[in-house]
Amino acid sequence: MTDAAGGFDAALSGGPDAAFIRVDDVAKTYDTGRTTIEAISNVSFQTAKGQFVAILGPSGCGKSTLLMMCAGLEPVTSGTITIAGQPMTGPRTSIGVMFQDSTLLPWKSVLENILFPIRILRRPRSEYIDRARALIEMVGLAGFEDKRPHELSGGMRQRVAICRALIYDPDILLMDEPFSALDAITRDEMNDALLDIWQRYTKTALFVTHSIREAVLLADRVLVMTDRPSTIIEDVPIPFVRPRTNEIAETVEFVRICSHLRGLIQHGHGRGQDKPGVAAIFQGNKVEAAR
Amino acid sequence: MKTAPNIARVLGLPIATGITMCVVWHVAVTSGGVPQYLLPAPTEVARKLITSLPELLGHAAISGLEAVASFLLATALGFAGAVALVYAPLLREIFYPSIVGFQLIPKVALAPLFIVWLGTDSVSRIAFATFLSFFPVLISTMTGLQNADPNAVRLSRSLTASEWQTFVSVRIPFSLPYFFSATKVAATLAVTGIVVAEFITANAGLGFLILSSTPRMETLTIFAAILMLCFVGLLLYGAVSLLERAGRRWFKGA
Amino acid sequence: MSGTARKRLSRLLGARRVVAPLVFLLALFIVWETWLHYLPMSRAVIAPPSAIFATLVNGFPILMKHTLSTLIEIVQGFLLAAVVGIAIGALITISTWTRQAFYPNIVFFQLIPKVAVAPLFVLWLGVGTPSRVAFAVFMAFFAIAIATATGLENTKLETIRLCRSLTASHWQTFTKVRFPFAMPHIFAGLKVGMAMAMIGIIVGEFVTGQEGLGYVIMFASSAGESAPLYAALLLLAALGLALYSCVLLAELAVQRWYGAPFVSEGFA
């Protein structure tokens, strides 16, 4: 049935590139022993190749879990995820992942951290050194190649993490709130840097965030998730042309879209208070979840 | 994210492993692979434990009481010492480096010295065990008293609390987790201290029983005594852990 | 002497934290010596520092022989315990099952008074070096195994996920990420392990009574001669400091390779 539906949709939207990432009726439940908690229910969406899609929602709505399932790092309870025509069964090298934490290895220099995927994938290091240096140059870290992570600021560490995700040239970049641990000023800088990188290496991207501004600034489409139930409630296209700069944030259109999204989140957030929220598991609050 | 830990598995697996080890031990011995005088079968040890229970309990009571006395002395002295060193900078500067240096040398080596100084009765054994278990309590409690949340101390000062009030209502509560984790170490060390002292000089106690049975190759007695000592050690450790849990719960206000 | 150097020197001399403990130790020795000079006590109980020093000089060859024996046995015991402990710590973290099955048992062993088992080793392996070294390994490896297992479990979930997203094998994740991340814990375990190995050898020497500084201490205390006892204790203290410093130096070397102080992201 899924196959038939997939063929139909692909025919409608014109080829596999239009449905480069397909998420079909995906659900995720956790079994706590006494009760089952629904972390994600009935999520479906697809993104075209080269599109930058933001997944926006409040803390604990399951958006990170959704991203991890797309990365093949979490199994789905039901439904299917298909990427580039192949159903996801586990991690693959055509996907790069960025986390909230830079996850740099403290004993490796900036350059060695960026080359870490090359080591793991056993690719010839010599072929990638120039690329690594070019990436370092691009993110403005020239001269920091031999520094260790603890000598860098939080923003610099995330720049290194971006380079590390780009070094092996994956088709898809999955980003799990990569800038949420940074201060507001650094975060704006990182958004600019990411826009810039996007202009150069167009990848298909899923970007999880709880910042409305960040989502609208970066993405071509914003998928709004709520926590009760945890599902996508609206797919909002962002009309700004690229290349973008953060100046678009001052336009009336930007403000209008932001307030629309804010309304959606507040509306979704207030619904169905009696239903156990997923937030409860992440806070480890089993009592409340069971109630 | 994994499913919530299954209690049956968390408890069952290690117990099953323990039982399996005992079975392997039993089979190894009863099949004749290992001579009985080197390693008696677990069933034999259990039988010995039951038949000689009165004698074993007598020895255990001696060692246990001495260990408890040492533990209590060490925690009281350790806590008092920590308060003194934290509040008297000169004392701290004089003694702290020696104390830290002392931590690095093997203190069990001093056991014979205590016997030379204090004689061969229980006073010297208790003194040695107290000495052994005193240092962790002292050092941890000092760390705890000094590591009280600076903002809580500032809050207390801003309320014009006296030094004593700050001590009682801020520093002591913050040091309790450190103190309690040190008491668990002290509980183990107190038993260790008594056993080592009994190895050197004693005419009763489980350490004495173990060592005096060695030349006679009474392996069964040795095993039964070691088992008994494990009970004593775990009993003391368990009691301290329960106290610690109560203390932590109070600290968290739950 | 330049002005800044003088200032530095005076600051050094003025530093109570350096001077106070040294003055305390010096005063202790002076009081100790003069006290015994005017109010002699039993030689079996206490000897003046001068007598201890004389013993160290006159008995140097014999004391050295015993020191060397103790040193070699401690090093053997420690190294064996490190290898066995790290291997067992790594093995039990292979899967959730093995960890749940073995880890509590090892922690349980850590809680019981292990020194009590010393005579069993004599029974099994005799009164020579093998029995003492085996006992030291038994004393030391639990702490190292527990620390290794804790360290290996302690790598951040996100870092493990990064490796999985790169399709890294379990072996790659272990050697390139989890093991290096466990280093601080392993060294914490090695420090405890060194202390335990020393205790193992000394208690072993007490029990077997053949050679080593522990034997010297026992022999002197029962012979009613306290000067050799204190001399042996001094040597043992020096040995303890030296061995502990070796572990510390190794840790510093690894920290240098590690590039960061041992308290950074990845382990709380």
Side-chain angles (χ1 to χ4, degrees), chain A residues 1 5 28 38 41 46 54 66 95 100-101 106-107 123 129 132 143 160 170 196 199 212 237 240 248 264 284:
Chain A
M1 186 227 137
K28 176 87 180 171
E38 203 161 44
S41 51
Q46 46 185 269
L66 178 61
I95 300 174
Q100 184 177 341
D101 185 279
W107 57 92
R123 293 190 192 169
I129 287 199
V160 177
D196 202 39
Q199 219 47 51
I212 294 171
F240 302 106
I248 61 167
L264 282 173

Side-chain angles (χ1 to χ4, degrees), chain A residues 188-203:
Chain A
D188 282 350
E189 280 172 23
M190 293 307 294
N191 286 337
D192 281 350
L194 193 58
L195 279 174
D196 202 39
I197 290 166
W198 208 253
Q199 219 47 51
R200 264 188 242 201
Y201 307 83
T202 306
K203 308 264 175 207

Side-chain angles (χ1 to χ4, degrees), chain A residues 40-116:
Chain A
I40 290 173
S41 51
N42 310 322
V43 168
S44 298
F45 68 89
Q46 46 185 269
T47 73
K49 190 167 190 177
Q51 216 172 31
F52 192 121
V53 176
I55 301 171
L56 175 71
S59 303
C61 72
K63 55 193 191 303
S64 291
T65 310
L66 178 61
L67 194 80
M68 289 302 127
M69 292 193 297
C70 290
L73 292 169
E74 283 275 345
V76 295
T77 309
S78 66
T80 51
I81 296 176
T82 313
I83 290 178
Q86 301 281 316
M88 283 308 284
T89 49
R92 46 172 104 151
T93 51
S94 59
I95 300 174
V97 187
M98 265 185 83
F99 301 91
Q100 184 177 341
D101 185 279
S102 61
T103 60
L104 300 182
L105 304 178
W107 57 92
K108 284 185 184 287
S109 66
V110 166
L111 185 67
E112 291 305 318
N113 262 297
I114 292 171
L115 288 170
F116 179 66

